[in-house]
Amino acid sequence: MPLPRRSALALAAAAGFAMSAALTTPAAAAEPAAAVAYPTRDVDVTFGATYVRGTLTWYNRSVGITGTYRAIASSGCRRVWVGTYDIAGVPLDAQSTSTLCDGVKPIDFPVPADVPGGAASVLVCLDDGNAEPLKCIEYDRP
């Protein structure tokens, strides 16, 4: 027994209906791309009872530092100095905080590293009130 065939008109109508449904059906929502996390590294430069503690975040052309620094009157004034370096160890840029003579202060600033690939390392120093380094630690990009 031969299979029944649809007429050309019935096939065209069915195809038109399918195309119409496809055009009016909302497309499935695309999943948003996952945000890429920037690499980070914890910072702890302690000198006596004074310190700088926080987090370094490597961005494309800068490194951000967030955290706190502490100075106590009996130890003298302190400031934080942060410098960025390229892969060859060449200095790129630097920033420092204001001088603090007693207390704890927040820090949150970027340090430029305007080269392709950004900074390869960061030097974080706890300085005295005259901007002389007391202790420095180098942190490599994770």
Side-chain angles (χ1 to χ4, degrees):
M1 175 163 157
L3 292 173
R5 299 186 108 184
R6 291 190 175 177
S7 71
L9 185 57
L11 288 174
F17 178 74
M19 170 128 356
S20 169
L23 292 175
T24 59
T25 302
E31 287 292 320
V36 175
Y38 292 106
T40 61
R41 180 142 309 189
D42 290 338
V43 171
D44 186 350
V45 181
T46 301
F47 185 82
T50 61
Y51 61 79
V52 56
R53 294 183 183 139
T55 303
L56 293 169
T57 303
W58 272 260
Y59 300 105
N60 293 330
R61 296 215 175 221
S62 68
V63 176
I65 182 165
T66 57
T68 57
Y69 68 112
R70 177 182 188 220
I72 56 175
S74 62
S75 296
C77 300
R78 299 289 185 257
R79 69 181 338 157
V80 178
W81 182 92
V82 182
T84 55
Y85 295 83
D86 71 9
I87 193 75
V90 175
L92 298 172
D93 212 327
Q95 300 288 333
S96 68
T97 64
S98 58
T99 301
L100 176 65
C101 294
D102 192 27
V104 177
K105 252 182 137 173
I107 54 175
D108 185 3
F109 58 86
V111 183
D114 197 13
V115 296
S121 65
V122 175
L123 188 65
V124 179
C125 295
L126 187 60
D127 294 352
D128 67 12
N130 297 315
E132 293 296 322
L134 298 169
K135 184 174 181 181
C136 297
I137 297 178
E138 184 175 7
Y139 296 90
D140 291 330
R141 183 182 187 119

